[in-house]
Amino acid sequence: MKVSGFTFIRNAVKNDYPVVEAITSILPVCDEFIVALGNSDDDTEKLIQGINSPKIKIINTVWDTTVREGGKVFADETDKAFNAIAADSDWAFYIQGDEVVHEKYLPLIKQEMEDNLADNKVEGLLFKYLHFYGSYDYYGHSRRWYRREIRIVRNNKNIHSYRDAQGFRLSGRKIQVKLIDAYIYHYGWVKPPSGLANKLRNFNTFYHNDEWMEQNLPETFTFDYSHKNPDRLVRFTGTHPAVMKKRLAATNWSLDIDLNELDKKMSFRRKVLQKIEDLTGWRVSEYRNYKIVK
């Protein structure tokens, strides 16, 4: 069995993405790792090269910044990385620049790839998610956060990144997947307020035009943690991946948000739907960009 990892990244230093941690977290189960390195104006290339692994192959890309609708450029860059994967690879393991896998899940992930290699009805593996918010001590646990997403797919070039690179489709249809008991730790919302203001401005330039940006996220925009309205935050009592140790130690801000007020802001309907999910595990009317077959 041969496994290829892949990701895309641009201006990781400027935007403080934990891309090195993302890559190194899954590198042990990969035979090669493709990085689609966008045209950065910081030291992102040096950052990737600093991993110093013979498994890593960098392909240089140029982002089409004229595409400012639906985050399509993210899907385009994902496809560039995916298409550069070696033809003899069986599985492709996707990781985004703000996602990390805990080392405790690697044996299970490898076993799932081996166990399902000959089962052609399984076209991908579906992961669970923890979305950390504000600090490393809390994660969002509500309907505002997606619970699952595909992160391993077969090396089938009819597979393409979908919409804004959240998931994948095969020849336009939903991919058949197996849900596995492994989590992706998503750290994209763990930044100080100034970092999140910068994130929102940079991110939204790939979704909206200049007029929308000026009206909603002007240069003077300042962020507070209630902007995203995470609905409900839960204290994290587990351990973070070992590769995140330095980032945790360097934390120099605190989460400034009233957790009790968050619960009060939830509408009655959302509270009822959340209670159903808490009691049964069923998320009513959940959007699923996949089909669970095993």
Side-chain angles (χ1 to χ4, degrees), residues 21 136 240-253:
E21 292 84 351
Y136 296 104
H240 289 275
V243 295
M244 292 294 292
K245 185 177 180 180
K246 287 185 178 180
R247 282 188 173 266
L248 267 73
T251 305
N252 60 0
W253 74 92

Side-chain angles (χ1 to χ4, degrees), residues 19-273:
V19 66
V20 170
E21 292 84 351
I23 294 170
T24 54
S25 74
I26 68 169
L27 206 53
V29 298
C30 296
D31 297 287
E32 68 165 359
F33 199 103
I34 307 299
V35 180
L37 178 63
N39 48 315
S40 303
D41 50 19
D42 60 13
D43 287 331
T44 299
E45 185 169 9
K46 185 182 297 184
L47 196 68
I48 302 301
Q49 290 174 339
I51 299 173
N52 196 27
S53 170
K55 295 180 181 180
I56 293 177
K57 175 185 176 183
I58 295 175
I59 61 168
N60 293 292
T61 69
V62 177
W63 286 32
D64 185 353
T65 55
T66 64
V67 178
R68 301 184 64 173
E69 184 177 349
K72 183 179 180 296
V73 68
F74 303 138
D76 291 343
E77 293 300 312
T78 298
D79 283 343
K80 291 176 185 178
F82 181 61
N83 289 331
I85 286 172
D88 61 343
S89 281
D90 299 294
W91 294 108
F93 197 156
Y94 181 54
I95 195 86
Q96 292 191 347
D98 57 5
E99 300 177 340
V100 179
V101 174
H102 198 295
E103 63 275 8
K104 67 182 179 181
Y105 295 119
L106 295 182
L108 179 145
I109 293 169
K110 184 176 181 180
Q111 190 64 53
E112 291 284 6
M113 287 190 288
E114 290 176 346
D115 290 349
N116 291 281
L117 184 59
D119 189 348
N120 291 325
K121 76 172 181 289
V122 177
E123 298 164 339
L125 299 179
L126 188 68
F127 285 71
K128 301 174 182 178
Y129 266 75
L130 282 179
H131 299 275
F132 291 90
Y133 184 78
S135 81
Y136 296 104
D137 297 324
Y138 294 94
Y139 62 93
H141 186 64
S142 74
R143 294 172 59 83
R144 290 188 180 274
W145 306 89
Y146 54 93
R147 295 193 301 169
R148 302 164 179 168
E149 195 46 82
I150 302 167
R151 281 298 175 260
I152 294 179
V153 295
R154 291 194 182 273
N155 186 23
N156 180 337
K157 299 312 181 187
N158 289 318
I159 290 175
H160 296 282
S161 186
Y162 186 63
R163 291 186 177 174
D164 60 352
Q166 185 172 328
F168 296 89
R169 290 284 175 99
L170 197 165
S171 300
R173 66 164 172 80
K174 293 182 179 181
I175 291 178
Q176 299 179 162
V177 299
K178 179 184 179 184
L179 174 63
I180 67 174
D181 194 20
Y183 282 82
I184 298 289
Y185 289 17
H186 178 214
Y187 293 108
W189 291 93
V190 181
K191 299 178 189 292
S194 59
L196 286 175
N198 186 52
K199 169 193 170 81
L200 283 175
R201 282 193 52 80
N202 289 335
F203 187 72
N204 278 282
T205 57
F206 297 101
Y207 289 82
H208 305 288
N209 58 29
D210 290 337
E211 182 180 357
W212 186 96
M213 290 293 297
E214 184 58 34
Q215 290 177 358
N216 295 273
L217 294 170
E219 292 283 353
T220 55
F221 170 73
T222 57
F223 181 90
D224 68 65
Y225 291 108
S226 63
H227 270 110
K228 181 169 174 63
N229 187 14
D231 265 0
R232 182 174 64 170
L233 296 179
V234 176
R235 178 170 282 278
F236 180 62
T237 57
T239 61
H240 289 275
V243 295
M244 292 294 292
K245 185 177 180 180
K246 287 185 178 180
R247 282 188 173 266
L248 267 73
T251 305
N252 60 0
W253 74 92
S254 59
L255 178 64
D256 183 17
I257 192 170
D258 189 329
L259 300 184
N260 292 324
E261 285 298 316
L262 280 183
D263 287 334
K264 293 178 182 178
K265 289 181 178 179
M266 289 180 69
S267 67
F268 177 74
R269 177 179 179 275
R270 293 180 72 83
K271 286 182 178 179
V272 170
L273 292 174

